[in-house]
Amino acid sequence: MTDEAQLLEQLKSKTQKDQAFKALLALYKERLYWHIRNIVKSHDDTDDVLQNTFLKIYKNINNFKGDSKLFSWMYRIATNESITFINKRAKRLQITNEEVQQMAINNLTSDVYFEGDVIQLKLQKAIATLPKKQQLVFNMKYFEDIKYKDMSEILKTSEGALKASYHIAVKKIEAYLTKN
């Protein structure tokens, strides 16, 4: 039995669920944190979304059918929670999602957890100009080095479409960075 299958079995067990969930947290907390952080930008917002993500995973683990890897399923939840977070903030502030993203990037310099330099900030601004799907694909490939096969499971899109999105995103980012 693979480690993931064993962990999944423990997660679905009433007597082992809490202990297995602690192991799951230890395994994936950092990776999911950075995935979410690449989407929502702020450390504090990332912590909130990460907490919501793990709550949703904990509550819905028995609904996991095993059609994909556990990792892919959790990333999909984290991605959806991040997008939901941005949508809710945009609705609450009565602005567009793009304006929420721009606000988050503008606030990066005052975020004590942001360790990037001027170039990193420019890159984040360039990424923010991309459509949401291209942002996700670029972040997952560039920052997290996720394979297209895994990304395809997470985003429910063909590998070919993801490769094209990444290529287009790179070209747009290059154009933005050379222009600015």
Side-chain angles (χ1 to χ4, degrees):
M1 190 182 311
T2 66
D3 290 342
E4 188 172 286
Q6 191 174 8
L7 181 61
L8 194 55
E9 192 177 288
Q10 292 170 344
L11 284 165
K12 291 184 176 189
S13 157
K14 286 183 176 156
T15 57
Q16 296 178 306
K17 185 174 184 173
D18 289 343
Q19 184 180 354
F21 194 73
K22 285 179 185 170
L24 184 81
L25 270 170
L27 272 174
Y28 293 107
K29 183 179 180 181
E30 188 174 344
R31 286 175 78 185
L32 287 176
Y33 171 89
W34 287 108
H35 175 66
I36 294 166
R37 179 82 186 256
N38 282 329
I39 299 169
V40 301
K41 308 297 181 220
S42 151
H43 168 74
D44 292 336
D45 293 342
T46 299
D47 276 350
D48 292 344
V49 174
L50 184 63
Q51 186 174 6
N52 290 343
T53 298
F54 276 111
L55 278 170
K56 199 163 250 183
I57 290 167
Y58 186 84
K59 287 179 182 175
N60 295 300
I61 195 68
N62 289 325
N63 298 333
F64 177 68
K65 295 176 187 77
D67 298 341
S68 64
K69 293 179 189 168
L70 180 61
F71 156 86
S72 300
W73 181 72
M74 292 189 319
Y75 260 66
R76 191 166 42 254
I77 291 171
T79 301
N80 291 340
E81 285 297 306
S82 300
I83 292 168
T84 299
F85 174 84
I86 290 170
N87 290 343
K88 283 181 180 176
R89 178 164 283 171
K91 190 173 183 178
R92 191 181 76 235
L93 297 174
Q94 297 180 336
I95 57 177
T96 65
N97 291 359
E98 291 75 21
E99 289 171 311
V100 169
Q101 288 284 115
Q102 205 52 57
M103 272 177 36
I105 287 167
N106 293 339
N107 292 333
L108 271 180
T109 52
S110 62
D111 185 341
V112 294
Y113 295 100
F114 180 70
E115 297 172 354
D117 55 13
V118 175
I119 294 169
Q120 184 65 22
L121 197 57
K122 274 188 178 178
L123 177 59
Q124 290 299 325
K125 287 181 179 183
I127 293 168
T129 65
L130 299 172
K132 178 57 62 196
K133 183 86 169 216
Q134 285 177 9
Q135 284 183 34
L136 285 170
V137 172
F138 182 83
N139 284 332
M140 292 171 87
K141 187 71 186 153
Y142 184 81
F143 292 112
E144 301 173 59
D145 198 27
I146 295 176
K147 292 177 175 52
Y148 287 113
K149 183 180 184 293
D150 293 331
M151 215 185 296
S152 174
E153 283 185 8
I154 295 165
L155 299 176
K156 298 290 187 205
T157 306
S158 74
E159 288 181 48
L162 293 168
K163 289 175 183 177
S165 285
Y166 182 74
H167 180 74
I168 293 166
V170 167
K171 292 295 177 202
K172 287 179 180 178
I173 288 170
E174 285 173 353
Y176 179 93
L177 292 175
T178 52
K179 190 176 89 177
N180 295 311

